[in-house]
Amino acid sequence: MFGPKRQCVVVVGAQWGDEGKGKIVDVIAERADLVVRYQGGANAGHTVVKGDEEFILHQIPSGILHEGTRCLIGNGVVLDPETMLREMEELAARGVSIDGRFRISDRAHLVLPYHKLLDQASERQQKIGTTGRGIGPAYEDKIGRRGIRVGDLRNIDRACHLVVERTARANRVLAMLEVEERASEAEHVALVERLAPRLLPLTVDAGRTTWDALRAGQRVLLEGAQGALLDVDHGTYPYVTSSNTTAGGAAVGAGIGPTAIDVVLGVVKAYTTRVGNGPLPTEADEARGEQLRTLGAEFGATTGRPRRCGWFDAVVVRYAARVNGLTHLAVTKLDVLDTLAEIPVCTGYRVGGAPSDDVPADADALGCVEPVYEVLEGWQRPTQGARRLADLPPQARAYLDRLQDLAETPIAYVSVGTRRDQIIGM
Ligand code: IMP
Ligand code: MG
């Protein structure tokens, strides 16, 4: 992906998340100097296989598994400090040294236990199917100008005062939502006091760090979380996450200008999945959905929930290509389709009998579109050993060609398994 005029690459999900960004980031990060996460928080679950070992990272960028790569959490992230510290310890325990190569933005907002209580309480009223990690309430506080940022820990007295005030406020909201649980002010003060000495040595001006790396000619990878259809502006609102998952969010959330970005790589599965509620036009019937779920091991990396499964939706991917400005695609989990005799692909929608290529703003309207399918021939041969395009069966190549045409975006990578080497560069 990197090259002479390709110094800054963004990787985004172009469906509903879980496209396999973790693995693609891991592969590209091998040649990156700096990897930056720019939005979301511990709602993400990036599964990366290194040798025989599987790592699931929620908060720390997946690039961390390359010992020569520096990693940064940008200002756009809502940081769950306890998850982050746990992951730091786990990485150390499993022999991945992160000393001196992991930093966090002093502008990132903290996700505190009261955010998780609020998230769970609001789920009882409005069933979005969130991950329960406090993401929505933390972004609400950020936009509402009552968030607590990592850099606020520098003035510990003021931070303690703020957290008492915010905990009391959260408790008033919990009472209003008619739930029993309350957040403890004392526990929050103790947490903030415990966090300050652990977090402060890691803090930097992340935008500055990223800028300095670019100016020094280094290779920078901006690592997205979730997917375009979960973007708070462009996704299936209100069934979305609370951040801008699309490529524009990468500039804001990493603290650089949009002109610094050279490549926008959209990751798609060779089929479609979604976890949580909201419309999914190409959702398969129960038996075929179950088949895809079993073949693809489609269970959430963060919550363990079974993912809803269906067919590749070209309307969604064309839309994602447009709102992200995708320059390339990476297609993952092609091997999951290896045993199927026939593979439906949605080429367009019909709305009230008329053809449509729109992703409507209204989630209910998207729930009512009628997908138009084209059925492609399966290859019914294993592809996990393929390392070059020529190693793939002709039907698999035809399938990829069709996805590329429908998405109107060239495919740069095809992933055929979870291991690092199971990838085809095109
Ligand atoms: P939240 O981000 O926890 O608020 O959840 C909002 C919606 O986004 C729910 O439908 C979640 O299932 C979904 N979501 C959040 N993070 C991820 C992810 O990393 N992968 C897939 N879905 C996600
Ligand atoms: Mg995931």
Side-chain angles (χ1 to χ4, degrees):
M1 265 300 104
F2 293 110
K5 292 222 161 129
R6 293 177 174 184
Q7 207 196 330
C8 184
V9 175
V10 184
V11 175
V12 291
Q15 294 160 326
W16 275 276
D18 304 316
E19 298 92 350
K21 293 178 294 296
K23 163 163 177 182
I24 299 296
V25 166
D26 178 58
V27 167
I28 301 176
E30 188 176 3
R31 307 212 305 132
D33 298 295
L34 179 67
V35 178
V36 189
R37 258 211 58 193
Y38 58 84
Q39 46 73 227
N43 49 350
H46 290 164
T47 308
V48 184
V49 175
K50 186 184 180 206
D52 294 330
E53 281 193 85
E54 182 181 90
F55 291 83
I56 297 180
L57 293 164
H58 301 286
Q59 189 65 82
I60 295 183
S62 324
I64 202 74
L65 297 174
H66 291 282
E67 312 237 336
T69 304
R70 288 181 297 133
C71 286
L72 198 53
I73 289 186
N75 56 275
V77 169
V78 287
L79 177 73
D80 184 331
E82 289 172 299
T83 302
M84 185 192 85
L85 293 170
R86 208 178 320 119
E87 287 180 0
M88 287 172 71
E89 276 154 26
E90 195 194 323
L91 286 166
R94 293 173 71 182
V96 181
S97 160
I98 67 168
D99 276 357
R101 60 186 190 93
F102 174 55
R103 293 288 179 268
I104 53 188
S105 167
D106 56 1
R107 290 172 170 82
H109 283 247
L110 291 172
V111 181
L112 294 167
Y114 60 75
H115 290 123
K116 296 178 195 175
L117 289 180
L118 290 168
D119 192 359
Q120 285 147 23
S122 68
E123 269 298 297
R124 294 191 204 173
Q125 324 241 327
Q126 193 191 18
K127 296 199 167 23
I128 303 296
T130 73
T131 60
R133 297 299 149 99
I135 304 300
Y139 278 114
E140 276 178 51
D141 279 357
K142 170 178 174 170
I143 303 301
R145 296 168 294 194
R146 51 176 181 269
I148 301 180
R149 306 200 291 181
V150 174
D152 289 329
L153 299 175
R154 289 186 189 119
N155 183 338
I156 192 68
D157 291 338
R158 194 171 60 110
C160 288
H161 176 76
L162 275 180
V163 84
V164 167
E165 211 175 273
R166 302 299 185 253
T167 308
R169 184 181 190 281
N171 284 336
R172 292 196 295 277
V173 177
L174 289 170
M176 197 182 75
L177 293 173
E178 295 173 355
V179 297
E180 303 277 306
E181 298 99 314
R182 292 293 176 268
S184 153
E185 291 178 11
E187 279 173 29
H188 276 80
V189 169
L191 175 63
V192 161
E193 286 176 337
R194 189 157 55 79
L195 289 175
R198 311 258 341 242
L199 265 52
L200 288 175
L202 300 175
T203 61
V204 290
D205 176 337
R208 178 67 188 245
T209 303
T210 308
W211 169 248
D212 286 344
L214 288 169
R215 281 236 285 212
Q218 296 187 354
R219 294 161 163 177
V220 175
L221 174 57
L222 306 179
E223 172 180 345
Q226 292 88 43
L229 278 292
L230 289 171
D231 183 287
V232 67
D233 284 276
H234 304 294
T236 52
Y237 193 87
Y239 302 100
V240 293
T241 192
S242 299
S243 62
N244 285 115
T245 60
T246 44
V252 177
I256 56 171
T259 48
I261 296 170
D262 303 306
V263 175
V264 183
L265 176 66
V267 185
V268 292
K269 268 180 199 166
Y271 49 99
T272 304
T273 65
R274 168 167 206 166
V275 58
N277 302 328
L280 180 59
T282 60
E283 188 160 17
D285 62 40
E286 216 169 291
R288 305 265 266 168
E290 180 63 37
Q291 186 186 14
L292 282 172
R293 184 154 45 246
T294 308
L295 289 169
E298 295 293 354
F299 295 88
T302 300
T303 57
R305 290 179 288 178
R307 295 181 185 140
R308 298 156 63 195
C309 296
W311 310 112
F312 187 86
D313 184 337
V315 181
V316 156
V317 177
R318 277 195 293 270
Y319 175 75
R322 174 163 63 80
V323 297
N324 281 293
L326 296 186
T327 59
H328 301 80
L329 277 185
V331 178
T332 64
K333 300 188 96 163
L334 183 72
D335 56 298
V336 169
L337 305 178
D338 281 354
T339 54
L340 305 189
E342 292 185 326
I343 311 167
V345 168
C346 165
T347 57
Y349 297 155
R350 290 185 85 79
V351 176
S356 164
D357 190 41
D358 285 330
V359 174
D362 185 75
D364 289 342
L366 183 61
C368 295
V369 302
E370 189 195 325
V372 177
Y373 289 106
E374 179 177 299
V375 178
L376 277 77
E377 197 189 335
W379 41 96
Q380 297 187 280
R381 268 170 51 195
T383 57
Q384 292 206 331
R387 294 297 174 270
R388 295 167 309 148
L389 198 56
D391 299 337
L392 288 175
Q395 296 91 334
R397 273 184 282 162
Y399 186 77
L400 293 170
D401 283 344
R402 190 66 184 126
L403 297 196
Q404 175 168 273
D405 286 348
L406 288 168
E408 297 167 3
T409 310
I411 297 175
Y413 294 102
V414 179
S415 169
V416 289
T418 54
R419 289 201 325 265
R420 269 181 185 169
D421 65 318
Q422 289 175 310
I423 193 142
I424 302 171
M426 320 259 286

